[in-house]
Amino acid sequence: MALLINSILVLLLSLTPSSSLKLHPSTNRRTITKSTNQATSGFGFGFSRSPPGPSRSFFDPLILFRANTNTNTLQQHLSSSCLSSSVDVDVDVEDGKDPNNNNNNNNNNNNNNKITLYPKRWVMLGYLSTLAFLSDWICFSTAATPGPFESVYSHSPAELIDLFLFTNVASCFFVTDLIAKIGLHKSIKGAAVLMAGGCFMKSGIPFLGIGSVISDTTYVPYSFLVAGTLMVGAAQPFFQCTPPLLSAKWFGKSERATATAVALNANQIGIATAFLVGGHMAIDTTGIEEYYQMITVITTVVAIATVMQFEEKPPTPPSTSEMAKVEGSEPAFIESAVKLFKTPGFLQPLTAFVASISITNIVGAFIDELMVRGGITDQLNIDLAGAGFEIAILVGGIVIGGYVDRTKEYKRTTMITLALTFFLLIPLGLTEHAIGREPILLLVALFGLGISAGPIQPVNAELAVEVSYPCDETAVESTQQIFGNLVSALLVPVAEFAMKRDFEIFPKMALESDIRADVIVLGAIAALTGMFYSSFNSPLNRSLLDCESEGGCEACEFEES
């Protein structure tokens, strides 16, 4: 059926002159129209997620635009959609009006489809962000104090972190399908309870004495730490892969990138908390016990509140693009992922996302080495620098995400931040022989790197959703998280090997310096990503629909030569 409809559309479009694709949303047409089969001078296409079966009567929001359109380009975007088998392509009547409806019906439809934003959306974002924050705090809880932990358990905290990350990657394969089956709210509630259970495995029952409850020793056995880490690692993707979905369900078109940035980068505050609180408390066996117990209490309280108050979606959709999604069956995650890679414009935001998460993870993982290299050796100062880096990532995400919400300048913003990332990496590994170590320059570069590299993730998470609309948002983010965490895990040993080697530049000159190989590797990742990203040239499908129906967006024009 989809092939037949596409063929009809091609035939209709072949009657018009072919030129470059220019989408100029008309600001005076903001009604949701019923799709018809009557050919006119304008046309539109609507997205449906309804399963196969008898036809149902509903109003399809249409992306309406007047254009001289290149047939092959339009066909490419439609046929490669994540839900291409469920996309309905319809011919629009003039000015988006249905001749079969009278004015009264049109007025009623406009009233019923009025866009409303509910204050409760911030509560939902707060819960998801807090859960993401806790998950990485738990993961990196003792990363700042490896010595005391190793003296108690004879294992490095890095082993638990690696186990956590690989469990995270494995769990990402199941998030999309589970949410499609039981819903967002049940999935988040279940993951919150699972994470709280993992904390109990790591701490025992708080205030009742660990030794009397779990083992004959005064601390939890290492096997229980492993089990708890596996549980929290399995839960985290439900908080990391769902921010774009939550943003789409609850937030308006001018808020989505900001909301996604807050939720996606909240885990960075968890890492910062691990440096500050863990570095202060987890300094001996008793401190580690009390530290784990405190985390368990906080996580349990948040999990209970989440179960009581987290909701699936507001009473009415927050945007036209969300209204366009008719509830129905979703393809399996693997099938969605395969179609995503065939979607024009998806690979560029995926590459940028992976580059950003890899660079920030490597810098965060080896913050001690970077600080000592630059002349900062006091442990408290190192912990503060690490916390500042993670906070800079969140602040940058909120500020730059807000800018992108207003302007829709995804490509330009990403290109600028990638360039800044490349240049700000250099001071982290460069030592000028004539000057020596430069702690102030190092800190400025570190915090600047957080502000520039961190926002690339949420901005390109939203961009990937834009170009693949109406594909499931969780499938998009799960794909990005899988590749991001996997590449990060693979880069850890590469960076560890490279940081032990340096190269001289400008030898026997006034500017004689040396630069560490790990910074060269990260800089190359940023540079190559920028070169590939410059080829991005795809329409913002979701924003086009929102701007056409709601107006108020001057950045929806898309041109492809």
Side-chain angles (χ1 to χ4, degrees):
M1 179 59 70
L3 180 60
L4 176 61
I5 294 175
N6 285 345
S7 300
I8 295 174
L9 179 60
V10 172
L11 179 61
L12 291 172
L13 294 179
S14 65
L15 300 178
T16 64
S18 175
S19 64
S20 63
L21 179 61
K22 297 177 181 290
L23 307 187
H24 300 276
S26 174
T27 57
N28 65 339
R29 286 161 48 192
R30 302 180 185 177
T31 59
I32 296 176
T33 64
K34 185 176 182 179
S35 59
T36 75
N37 292 323
Q38 298 183 8
T40 63
S41 58
F43 68 91
F45 52 91
F47 299 110
S48 164
R49 292 191 179 185
S50 56
S55 60
R56 297 177 296 172
S57 176
F58 56 85
F59 284 80
D60 285 332
L62 303 178
I63 296 181
L64 305 175
F65 52 87
R66 296 186 179 94
N68 292 325
T69 306
N70 183 295
T71 302
N72 293 331
T73 301
L74 181 60
Q75 275 292 99
Q76 183 183 25
H77 285 298
L78 293 179
S79 62
S80 59
S81 169
C82 182
L83 295 176
S84 59
S85 60
S86 301
V87 172
D88 298 329
V89 183
D90 300 289
V91 178
D92 179 42
V93 297
E94 186 177 0
D95 293 330
K97 297 178 182 178
D98 184 355
N100 296 322
N101 289 340
N102 56 34
N103 291 334
N104 291 333
N105 287 338
N106 284 333
N107 291 335
N108 290 336
N109 291 332
N110 288 335
N111 291 334
N112 292 337
N113 292 310
K114 182 180 179 181
I115 300 301
T116 301
L117 299 179
Y118 297 86
K120 192 179 290 186
R121 67 191 186 279
W122 300 108
V123 177
M124 302 303 112
L125 178 64
Y127 276 121
L128 189 64
S129 301
T130 302
L131 291 168
F133 153 77
L134 288 171
S135 65
D136 259 11
W137 183 10
I138 297 166
C139 172
F140 292 89
S141 54
T142 54
T145 55
F149 184 88
E150 290 178 6
S151 66
V152 173
Y153 291 105
S154 300
H155 290 274
S156 169
E159 296 178 20
L160 292 179
I161 294 175
D162 284 342
L163 182 63
F164 180 96
L165 292 176
F166 282 111
T167 306
N168 179 297
V169 171
S171 181
C172 284
F173 284 94
F174 304 99
V175 171
T176 301
D177 294 340
L178 188 59
I179 290 177
K181 184 175 182 179
I182 67 175
L184 176 64
H185 68 303
K186 291 182 180 178
S187 299
I188 296 298
K189 292 176 181 179
V193 172
L194 179 63
M195 184 168 68
C199 288
F200 275 104
M201 293 294 292
K202 297 183 69 171
S203 71
I205 302 178
F207 314 122
L208 295 183
I210 294 176
S212 61
V213 176
I214 293 180
S215 69
D216 295 331
T217 63
T218 58
Y219 51 86
V220 173
Y222 185 73
S223 59
F224 278 68
L225 294 186
V226 170
T229 299
L230 290 173
M231 294 171 68
V232 180
Q236 190 187 52
F238 289 89
F239 317 134
Q240 281 190 330
C241 298
T242 53
L245 177 62
L246 181 87
S247 298
K249 283 178 174 287
W250 284 91
F251 288 85
K253 70 177 189 293
S254 297
E255 302 174 329
R256 291 185 296 234
T258 302
T260 299
V262 171
L264 269 183
N265 289 329
N267 64 314
Q268 306 296 337
I269 303 302
I271 299 175
T273 304
F275 276 105
L276 295 177
V277 181
H280 176 71
M281 291 185 65
I283 55 177
D284 53 31
T285 303
T286 302
I288 292 174
E289 294 173 2
E290 294 175 350
Y291 180 44
Y292 280 161
Q293 290 179 16
M294 180 188 68
I295 294 176
T296 298
V297 171
I298 295 174
T299 304
T300 302
V301 171
V302 174
I304 293 173
T306 301
V307 170
M308 295 176 62
Q309 294 187 319
F310 195 85
E311 298 179 12
E312 176 77 15
K313 58 185 178 181
T316 58
S319 63
T320 303
S321 56
E322 187 64 18
M323 198 178 298
K325 297 177 183 177
V326 180
E327 295 297 331
S329 60
E330 296 281 357
F333 170 67
I334 298 299
E335 180 183 349
S336 295
V338 171
K339 290 184 177 180
L340 282 171
F341 279 96
K342 298 178 181 179
T343 301
F346 178 77
L347 287 180
Q348 287 88 349
L350 172 64
T351 304
F353 185 96
V354 171
S356 172
I357 196 172
S358 299
I359 291 171
T360 54
N361 281 349
I362 294 301
V363 171
F366 297 104
I367 194 72
D368 286 48
E369 169 66 23
L370 292 174
M371 294 299 100
V372 171
R373 180 188 303 172
I376 300 175
T377 57
D378 181 74
Q379 188 60 48
L380 176 60
N381 291 334
I382 292 175
D383 293 342
L384 290 173
F389 173 67
E390 305 298 342
I391 293 173
I393 291 175
L394 177 63
V395 172
I398 294 174
V399 174
I400 295 178
Y403 170 78
V404 173
D405 270 330
R406 295 189 301 272
T407 64
K408 306 301 179 186
E409 292 279 4
Y410 292 93
K411 180 178 179 179
R412 180 179 299 176
T413 300
T414 302
M415 291 296 294
I416 292 174
T417 50
L418 280 172
L420 289 173
T421 296
F422 174 82
F423 288 109
L424 289 169
L425 278 167
I426 296 174
L428 302 187
L430 181 67
T431 301
E432 296 182 20
H433 295 172
I435 299 177
R437 295 176 175 179
E438 303 172 70
I440 301 299
L441 176 62
L442 176 67
L443 290 176
V444 171
L446 179 68
F447 299 151
L449 180 65
I451 292 174
S452 59
I456 296 174
Q457 295 177 50
V459 167
N460 283 276
E462 284 296 306
L463 179 58
V465 172
E466 289 278 358
V467 300
S468 61
Y469 179 84
C471 182
D472 181 81
E473 295 86 355
T474 309
V476 173
E477 186 58 22
S478 294
T479 303
Q480 291 187 322
Q481 290 288 347
I482 287 171
F483 281 90
N485 287 323
L486 187 58
V487 171
S488 294
L490 295 176
L491 274 177
V492 168
V494 175
E496 192 171 15
F497 173 81
M499 70 173 49
K500 299 175 182 177
R501 289 158 177 77
D502 56 26
F503 299 89
E504 281 194 353
I505 54 177
F506 307 116
K508 300 180 180 180
M509 297 175 61
L511 297 177
E512 183 179 7
S513 308
D514 63 77
I515 187 169
R516 292 294 177 96
D518 56 327
V519 170
I520 296 177
V521 171
L522 297 181
I525 291 174
L528 292 174
T529 300
M531 293 172 59
F532 176 65
Y533 197 89
S534 64
S535 65
F536 176 82
N537 197 12
S538 297
L540 308 181
N541 295 326
R542 183 175 64 172
S543 288
L544 281 170
L545 175 55
D546 289 332
C547 293
E548 173 62 34
S549 298
E550 301 172 34
C553 181
E554 299 177 355
C556 282
E557 179 177 311
F558 162 73
E559 296 187 4
E560 182 177 346
S561 55

